[in-house]
């Protein structure tokens, strides 16, 4: 009888352990899903916003320069969204030798990212009665060997984190500088700052101080991107004194670059009859339009 009761208790214990493991997996899945939605929404906001502007004001299409700017921004933001999804499993994955690094001018990345995030740090903040100013301080000779889309994503996360740290408004300063064989990208806010415990843990995946409003994905993604660029992260912060994140990368010429491929020679197009097959109507339409554009 004693052995039988012991076996029943052991089975109950195993069932409880299985239930706990399942709950932990579901919690992790929920956090991951929330993080995916967070980062993809950040990337898609400019797509929806600038598309709405073109639809609400069709006359903007007559302004070739403005229409080109809007469409370029939409395309860039959409590619960034695709990159977020592609790299969800790559928080701490090291860069493979086959991944090409090209010369990237950090000042251009800063300028483009500030424009892409403007709806969040300016428009949404003003709608909430908060004034946030973004100042850029571009340095000289700030080229690094990298992947532009990843660097843009890292800077986007740092800017949005700075916005969240300043619920009453403030200033975000983004600076680039070169010192010797290192290039530094720094993002400084005048927000609430972090204590020692938060500074120590803020790069951990899923660690957040924002409660349900946070996912704990952003800074972990920034850390992974910095590592793949052979870079480091430095953090200066004190409660009530704001925060500075510094990404330090090898300067251009000190990392292995991709070997440029030979440019294909132009050839005379010949008309073809092509069958386009796909189960998604919009994909079919896009592929058809590409092919028709090529004759």
């Amino acid at each position: 009888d004693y052995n039988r009761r012991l076996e029943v208790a052991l089975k109950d214990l195993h069932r409880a352990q299985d239930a706990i493991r399942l709950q932990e997996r579901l919690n992790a899945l929920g956090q991951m899903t929330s993080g995916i939605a967070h980062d993809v929404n950040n990337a898609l906001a400019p797509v929806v916003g600038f598309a709405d502007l073109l639809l609400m004001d069709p006359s903007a299409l007559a302004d070739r320069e403005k229409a080109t700017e809007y469409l370029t921004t939409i395309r860039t933001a959409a590619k960034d969204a695709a990159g977020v999804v592609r790299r969800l499993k790559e928080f701490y994955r090291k860069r493979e030798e086959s991944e090409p690094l090209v010369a990237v001018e950090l000042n251009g990345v800063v300028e483009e990212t500030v424009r892409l995030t403007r709806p969040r740090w300016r428009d949404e903040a003003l709608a909430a009665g908060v004034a946030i100013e973004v100042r850029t301080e571009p340095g000289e000779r700030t080229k690094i060997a990298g992947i532009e889309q990843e660097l843009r994503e890292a800077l986007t996360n740092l800017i949005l984190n700075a916005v969240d740290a300043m619920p009453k408004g403030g200033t975000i300063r983004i600076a680039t500088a070169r010192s010797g064989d290192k290039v530094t990208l720094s993002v400084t806010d005048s927000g609430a700052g972090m204590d020692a415990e938060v500074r120590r843990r803020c790069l951990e995946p899923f660690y957040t101080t924002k409660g349900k409003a946070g996912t704990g994905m952003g800074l972990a993604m920034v850390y992974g991107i910095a590592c793949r660029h052979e870079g480091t992260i430095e953090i200066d912060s004190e409660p009530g004194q704001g925060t500075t994140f510094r990404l330090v990368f090898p300067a251009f010429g000190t990392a292995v670059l991709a070997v440029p491929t030979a440019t294909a020679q132009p050839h005379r197009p010949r008309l073809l009859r092509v069958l386009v097959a796909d189960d998604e109507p919009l994909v079919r339409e896009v592929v058809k339009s590409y092919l028709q554009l090529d004759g």
Side-chain angles (χ1 to χ4, degrees):
D1 182 64
Y2 176 80
N3 287 339
R4 183 184 60 78
R5 286 188 283 119
L6 187 60
E7 287 177 359
V8 171
L10 189 58
K11 289 179 181 178
D12 289 342
L13 178 60
H14 286 162
R15 280 196 293 269
Q17 289 174 333
D18 289 341
I20 291 173
R21 279 194 292 267
L22 176 60
Q23 188 60 46
E24 288 176 344
R25 290 172 183 169
L26 291 174
N27 288 340
L29 179 61
Q31 288 177 314
M32 179 67 78
T33 303
S34 178
I36 295 170
H38 173 266
D39 287 340
V40 172
N41 282 339
N42 284 342
L44 290 181
V47 177
V48 177
F50 285 105
D52 280 345
L53 287 173
L54 290 173
L55 291 172
M56 289 187 294
D57 182 19
S59 63
L61 292 170
D63 185 337
R64 189 178 183 85
E65 184 177 349
K66 178 182 288 188
T68 300
E69 178 186 349
Y70 283 5
L71 291 172
T72 300
T73 302
I74 288 172
R75 182 175 182 272
T76 299
K79 291 177 70 175
D80 286 354
V84 171
V85 175
R86 186 178 66 251
R87 288 194 316 282
L88 282 173
K89 62 181 184 297
E90 300 178 351
F91 281 115
Y92 297 116
R93 179 187 65 79
K94 292 188 178 295
R95 184 177 61 85
E96 298 176 1
E97 294 298 325
S98 59
E99 288 185 275
L101 293 180
V102 298
V104 177
E105 173 55 68
L106 278 186
N107 292 333
V109 172
V110 170
E111 182 181 346
E112 194 165 29
T113 306
V114 169
R115 186 178 74 250
L116 286 169
T117 56
R118 187 179 292 122
R120 175 72 182 275
W121 59 260
R122 188 186 67 179
D123 301 342
E124 289 186 21
L126 287 176
V130 174
I132 294 178
E133 180 184 5
V134 175
R135 299 176 184 170
T136 58
E137 299 175 6
E140 296 181 355
R141 299 190 308 127
T142 57
K143 281 187 178 180
I144 69 169
I147 302 171
E148 185 173 335
Q149 190 268 326
E150 289 197 6
L151 294 168
R152 205 161 44 237
E153 181 183 345
L155 182 56
T156 295
N157 275 291
L158 292 177
I159 291 175
L160 298 186
N161 262 18
V163 171
D164 290 339
M166 301 187 299
K168 297 182 180 179
T171 301
I172 300 173
R173 185 174 64 86
I174 306 172
T176 58
R178 176 165 179 169
S179 177
D181 62 351
K182 299 293 184 183
V183 174
T184 301
L185 169 64
S186 63
V187 179
T188 302
D189 67 64
S190 57
M194 298 183 286
D195 60 28
E197 173 69 8
V198 176
R199 284 199 310 272
R200 184 178 66 83
R201 300 192 58 193
C202 65
L203 299 180
E204 296 178 10
F206 305 126
Y207 177 77
T208 179
T209 60
K210 302 175 187 176
K212 293 182 177 180
T215 64
M217 302 265 293
L219 290 180
M221 187 79 74
V222 173
Y223 178 77
I225 291 171
C227 289
R228 285 195 292 281
H229 285 74
E230 301 177 12
T232 59
I233 296 182
E234 300 172 358
I235 305 171
D236 289 337
S237 185
E238 294 293 338
Q241 302 297 318
T243 299
T244 295
F245 282 92
R246 281 186 293 273
L247 306 185
V248 183
F249 303 104
F252 175 72
T254 60
V256 179
L257 294 180
V259 178
T261 56
T263 304
Q265 294 298 319
H267 62 280
R268 178 176 297 182
R270 62 191 182 93
L271 295 180
L272 299 173
R273 191 172 186 83
V274 179
L275 172 66
V276 177
D278 195 279
D279 61 348
E280 179 58 51
L282 288 178
V283 173
R284 290 199 304 271
E285 191 65 29
V286 168
V287 174
K288 184 187 77 170
S289 299
Y290 271 130
L291 293 171
Q292 288 177 333
L293 190 63
D294 280 343

